[in-house]
Amino acid sequence: MLAHAPAHPEPVLTLPPSEGGVLSIRAKALLFHDPRSVALLEHVERIARTDASALIIGETGTGKELIARHLHTRSGRRGPFVAVNCGAFTENLIDAELFGHESGAFTGASTARAGWFEAANGGTLFLDEIGDLPLALQVKLLRVLQERQVVRLGSRRAIPLDVRLVAATNVDLRRAVEAQRFRADLYYRLHVAPITLPPLRDRPGDILPLARHFIGVYAPRLALPHAMLAPDTEAALLAYAWPGNIRELENVVHFALVICRDGVVRPADLRLVAPVVPVAPAVAAVPAPTVPEPAPPPARDAYADLEENVLRLIAAGDRNLFHAVTETIVRTAFHQANDNQVRTAKVLGITRNTLRTFLKRYGMLADVPRGDRGPDTVGGDDPGVDDAGTDDADLAAFDTAEAPRA
């Protein structure tokens, strides 16, 4: 909903608060104070008055669902707003969830059930993480958008629809199209009215107003009627990069209120994952005194850097984190070894067959018959690498990672 908080005149988009005051799993407030945010709201208002399909593009935690709900509210459509996360269902389930099914259409379908498209009839269907939609379902979605009707699984009867589709993504769909993971025709169908949601670090004028908004939300629940931010705390909030965007800001403010003393949030109360980069004030240029060169800092442990980057990605809410990191490791080692499988397997400490599984999984190796050993045999295999069989432990871990998401 669009509300005006008494503490500041800027318009605020908010979601209903979670019961029990639990930490947010999505951005629950958008405030339009920064000039970029003001321009964004004007753009959204113009699009809302049309029935055009909209594609909201932005990092996780930037408030894409809030924008989608505002599009629906301002559109004047009388039907409901229905939000569906495309990454929350397995490939087998999402077909029936989106388009519905008849009784007996598949094992366990004891009764007929309407899908999310029918549930949103007359209103707006919000498909979050549209980039996770399997290719086969992208074809069906394109047909529904073109024909304005849906056919349930196990049925031949078309059901007419009056649904406005709003999709959202935190990945670059154009790259996905180039990699043939997303259909180009569906991309252009969705890209009629694009809305780019800038990350919080690119609209710093919203940081402190949002922090004060979340203080107003959580302080009464914690019996802190006069909670406030210390001046150096405000400086720390402004200097932080916010990789998790508004969602991270809300959780940081909530936790700081839990542990602060006397209702004053101090820098020590903030739990920030990424390093804070202080912003130095502008000063007049003066000649720098001649000082000896400082000693170089001690070399950091490479694994400490890796751990810090992984923590930063976790804070950003990347749901594809495991495969993204694994692909980066495999691809880097493979290229470093000049695409030689034997040397790559030795560097990574895995068998060649296990490596080939990863190479095929990430599109770095065609499915070559077992008899064709390829260029890696030139110069002879490294006897130190087992190429006779697959490492059961490695593949078991990989198979576990490949299990469908609940």
Side-chain angles (χ1 to χ4, degrees), residues 93-366:
L93 266 181
I94 195 170
D95 195 340
E97 290 289 333
L98 282 177
F99 308 114
H101 62 80
E102 296 293 340
S103 176
F106 52 86
T107 303
S110 56
T111 59
R113 182 180 177 187
W116 293 116
F117 268 99
E118 290 181 67
N121 208 5
T124 302
L125 178 62
F126 173 56
L127 295 183
D128 198 7
E129 298 187 28
I130 189 72
D132 288 349
L133 199 65
L135 283 169
L137 292 185
Q138 293 177 28
V139 177
K140 296 187 69 172
L141 175 59
L142 181 63
R143 180 176 293 275
V144 170
L145 294 178
Q146 290 174 340
E147 300 181 1
R148 297 289 177 179
Q149 59 185 18
V150 67
V151 179
R152 295 182 182 179
L153 289 175
S155 173
R156 296 184 179 180
R157 181 175 64 90
I159 302 172
L161 293 174
D162 175 23
V163 175
R164 181 183 191 179
L165 183 69
V166 178
T169 179
N170 60 5
V171 300
D172 190 338
L173 288 186
R174 284 181 294 183
R175 282 192 172 186
V177 169
E178 294 171 359
Q180 299 183 350
R181 294 194 305 269
F182 201 85
R183 292 183 61 91
D185 45 7
L186 178 58
Y187 169 73
Y188 291 116
R189 185 80 186 191
L190 296 174
H191 205 257
V192 176
I195 300 171
T196 300
L197 204 51
L200 188 56
R201 60 183 173 273
D202 289 347
R203 40 193 172 103
D206 292 343
I207 294 176
L208 294 182
L210 275 169
R212 297 187 186 105
H213 169 81
F214 290 128
I215 288 176
V217 170
Y218 289 108
R221 304 182 192 178
L222 299 170
L224 298 171
H226 304 295
M228 60 180 294
L229 299 171
D232 48 351
T233 305
E234 294 184 352
L237 293 175
L238 290 172
Y240 187 61
W242 299 110
N245 294 292
I246 299 172
R247 176 190 303 165
E248 184 183 9
L249 174 61
E250 177 188 359
N251 294 345
V252 165
V253 170
H254 185 182
F255 185 72
L257 289 172
V258 171
I259 65 173
C260 73
R261 297 180 180 180
D262 306 322
V264 179
V265 177
R266 298 176 175 84
D269 301 322
L270 303 177
R271 293 295 184 266
L272 304 176
V273 177
V276 176
V277 181
V279 179
V283 295
V286 295
T290 303
V291 295
E293 288 291 331
R300 288 195 59 184
D301 182 6
Y303 283 101
D305 292 332
L306 176 62
E307 180 179 355
E308 181 178 293
N309 288 326
V310 170
L311 286 173
R312 190 174 305 161
L313 292 170
I314 291 174
D318 187 349
R319 299 184 72 254
N320 195 41
L321 178 58
F322 176 82
H323 287 301
V325 173
T326 305
E327 180 179 0
T328 300
I329 293 173
V330 173
R331 186 182 299 276
T332 303
F334 193 47
H335 289 171
Q336 179 68 21
N338 294 322
D339 296 354
N340 185 290
Q341 297 173 31
V342 173
R343 289 200 294 269
T344 304
K346 185 174 182 180
V347 167
L348 296 178
I350 58 178
T351 67
R352 183 167 178 257
N353 283 349
T354 301
L355 173 67
R356 289 173 65 85
T357 301
F358 284 110
L359 293 176
K360 292 176 183 177
R361 168 65 178 83
Y362 298 121
M364 289 179 273
L365 179 69

